[in-house]
Amino acid sequence: SQTIHQWPATLVQPVGSPLSLECTVEGTSNPNLYWYRQAAGRGLQLLFYSVGIGQISSEVPQNLSASRPQDRQFILSSKKLLLSDSGFYLCAWSSLHEQYFGPGTRLTVT
Amino acid sequence: QKEVEQNSGPLSVPEGAIASLNCTYSDRVSQSFFWYRQYSGKSPELIMSIYSNGDKEDGRFTAQLNKASQYVSLLIRDSQPSDSATYLCAVNMYYGGSQGNLIFGKGTKLSVKP
């Protein structure tokens, strides 16, 4: 069966610091991978998606970036965090139509 | 602008009742529809998918799709306090024949009272 991991689970970072969130998927090959952000009281916002190694599409221009160095690894990064980057970051994978979410990383920027 | 609309709630139902959650979407060519359940502080969990008009039943859950009316709903029979959560509707909107991405509604908060 497929499993998706995210770490860290929680993170508190000061404004201006860098960020690296990691997501890995087990039990499937060549999945589509996604990064979402869910801010308090708001809906899920798609940030990036990837259909293969090195292939990244950005949905929302901002100070975040994503990379996919391996088939089942997806990384979300920032060079300098803003207060507005606080939120619940979710990685998801899909093979055909259905998407499955990881446990998420709760980021607080102070 | 492609949109998915849900009532934010809260929707409060007594234990044992039927909870009815509704969702409308703006894109007529959408072909895949999903319901996710999200407990407070947790990530969304896929509970139902539906691809064709009509009803699809899975245990206490029934998804209903009406593409002509651009409407999808989720019925929860014999509601339990453990069903208390936010329910997200998601629609896969296709662009020019290629698979698009999921568009999520903001969710309906359901509260089941014992």
Side-chain angles (χ1 to χ4, degrees):
Chain A
S1 64
Q2 298 84 9
T3 308
I4 180 168
H5 303 278
Q6 285 187 248
W7 63 90
T10 59
L11 193 58
V12 180
Q13 292 284 94
V15 168
S17 64
L19 174 73
S20 181
L21 303 181
E22 189 164 342
C23 169
T24 58
V25 182
E26 296 176 356
T28 185
S29 57
N30 198 31
N32 290 345
L33 296 173
Y34 307 82
W35 278 112
Y36 290 86
R37 178 171 60 203
Q38 189 175 40
R42 300 181 68 180
L44 280 167
Q45 180 185 34
L46 179 63
L47 302 175
F48 301 94
Y49 69 94
S50 171
V51 299
I53 295 174
Q55 301 179 63
I56 308 295
S57 296
S58 173
E59 290 292 304
V60 182
Q62 53 203 324
N63 68 318
L64 299 173
S65 62
S67 62
R68 185 170 177 174
Q70 301 181 42
D71 181 45
R72 288 170 284 180
Q73 184 185 31
F74 206 19
I75 297 172
L76 182 70
S77 304
S78 174
K79 293 182 179 178
K80 287 185 178 181
L81 285 168
L82 307 173
L83 283 174
S84 59
D85 291 325
S86 292
F88 192 32
Y89 286 82
L90 293 155
C91 181
W93 75 273
S94 71
S95 56
L96 290 176
H97 303 289
E98 299 176 346
Q99 282 189 26
Y100 299 91
F101 287 89
T105 294
R106 191 160 304 279
L107 171 66
T108 303
V109 182
T110 60
Chain B
Q1 182 77 12
K2 300 183 184 297
E3 293 182 338
V4 176
E5 300 284 345
Q6 296 180 254
N7 288 327
S8 61
L11 173 65
S12 184
V13 300
E15 184 175 356
I18 296 175
S20 178
L21 304 165
N22 304 315
C23 173
T24 59
Y25 58 94
S26 62
D27 192 275
R28 287 189 173 276
V29 300
S30 299
Q31 298 184 27
S32 306
F33 307 86
F34 307 91
W35 282 100
Y36 288 81
R37 177 176 62 197
Q38 186 174 22
Y39 292 114
S40 180
K42 302 296 185 181
S43 63
E45 173 192 9
L46 178 65
I47 56 172
M48 288 289 285
S49 57
I50 186 166
Y51 303 99
S52 55
N53 279 329
D55 295 358
K56 178 182 177 183
E57 186 174 318
D58 183 0
R60 295 186 296 112
F61 298 100
T62 299
Q64 299 175 318
L65 175 61
N66 184 326
K67 289 186 178 181
S69 300
Q70 295 175 233
Y71 176 93
V72 58
S73 65
L74 178 71
L75 301 178
I76 306 175
R77 290 182 301 281
D78 188 23
S79 295
Q80 301 297 309
S82 58
D83 295 325
S84 298
T86 297
Y87 289 81
L88 305 175
C89 173
V91 178
N92 195 325
M93 297 184 179
Y94 289 78
Y95 304 89
S98 61
Q99 182 175 338
N101 293 315
L102 288 185
I103 307 296
F104 284 84
K106 292 185 177 180
T108 297
K109 187 171 184 178
L110 172 66
S111 176
V112 181
K113 303 296 186 184

